[in-house]
Amino acid sequence: MTQTHVPVIAIHGGAGTISAATTSAEQAQAYHDALKNIVAAAQAMLLKGASALDAACLAVEMLEECPLFNAGHGAVFTHDETHELDAAVMDGATLAAGAIAGVCRIRRPVRAARAVLEDGAHVLLAGAGAETFARERGLEMVEPSFFSTEARRQQLYRVRGTGRVVTDHEGASMTAASPLDEDKKFGTVGAVALDMHGHLAAATSTGGMTNKRVGRIGDSPLIGAGTYADDRTAAVSCTGSGEMFIRVAAAYDVCARMAYGGATLEAATHAVVQQSLPAIGGSGGLIGVDRHGNLSLAFNSEGMYRGHARGNEAANTAIFAA
Ligand code: ASP
């Protein structure tokens, strides 16, 4: 097996607006530390020769387990004060994909998405059927309350009072303890990777959007909308107002612009994030890595939690625009 590629990993922890409250250096540091740690773990795997798929899944699993981010433990609430989690993974080498939607009992949703990919019979399983599948595969199951945090519950109460689903930047102001205002931020997590063998993969996981209607499914688990990977072009994971990402097939559009129009990754992500999405009121961002190892971490909101590392270089993390 040739090992000619310098591996690359990039992750995101959601996009959004700057907190109305003053963010202390310590608060920002907690996010930087979590992002760095997770990038470093996936980077170490890639440097040992692991596949992009394994590295992307590990990064997302770690993000799911971190309550700072809206996926797994710390996921947002639906209007009915329940959780409905979505996740997807895609292997750029084979175009194999797996996703789950609307689940509330699978501890690590990205593992279930990976199991769907490996099973191969279907691409997307939803609700009770997805949970039965995960149970059959021996994945860890939890009570729905496992995902709840008091901060997310208070966030629902504030947002529900406004009658809005938080897809725009008009939520109530609050005393946020995080750099991006928790009421005005999209909290999906995701990862994209290029491995030593030249293969790409993407993974995304989310609690969705605060105050969403029960049964609503966002872009994250939809292959081509929130998640896509193809070795011939790029691996992409999105975060933002899911409905608009679905309508422009955001992740696939980045790859299609590269494949059909010869666009660079940078030009393709710019067109989607700065033109196609804002044209229909879409807000958020995405991360992408192409087959040459070029990276794009693009967003049209004020900030996006993000981190990346190339080869054995130190991990880089950022929250606001450079
Ligand atoms: N895109 C996600 C969704 O619509 C939300 C997010 O990125 O936080 O479900």
Side-chain angles (χ1 to χ4, degrees), residues 203-258:
T204 312
S205 183
T206 190
M209 306 189 69
T210 299
N211 202 28
K212 66 183 181 181
R213 180 181 279 273
V214 167
R216 177 265 188 187
I217 292 170
D219 60 312
S220 308
L222 302 185
I223 298 302
T227 308
Y228 202 75
D230 182 341
D231 275 5
R232 292 166 296 186
T233 50
V236 178
S237 172
C238 303
T239 174
S241 48
E243 280 67 14
M244 289 75 169
F245 282 70
I246 294 171
R247 288 163 58 197
V248 302
Y252 182 73
D253 193 35
V254 169
C255 296
R257 285 171 187 274
M258 297 173 71

Side-chain angles (χ1 to χ4, degrees), residues 237-319:
S237 172
C238 303
T239 174
S241 48
E243 280 67 14
M244 289 75 169
F245 282 70
I246 294 171
R247 288 163 58 197
V248 302
Y252 182 73
D253 193 35
V254 169
C255 296
R257 285 171 187 274
M258 297 173 71
Y260 307 149
T264 61
L265 175 70
E266 193 57 36
T269 60
H270 186 269
V272 172
V273 172
Q274 305 300 350
Q275 291 160 17
S276 305
L277 284 166
I280 57 168
S283 172
L286 56 79
I287 55 172
V289 60
D290 71 13
R291 63 201 181 97
H292 306 295
N294 295 309
L295 269 175
S296 178
L297 295 84
F299 50 98
N300 61 30
S301 46
E302 284 168 74
M304 180 169 77
Y305 296 114
R306 58 200 189 278
H308 71 271
R310 189 185 300 279
N312 58 9
E313 288 168 13
N316 234 291
T317 60
I319 299 174

Side-chain angles (χ1 to χ4, degrees), residues 111-112 115-116 118-119 131-140:
R111 279 201 191 175
V116 173
E118 275 160 10
D119 181 68
E131 289 174 351
T132 302
F133 170 84
R135 200 171 288 116
E136 283 171 11
R137 299 291 138 154
L139 297 184
E140 187 179 347

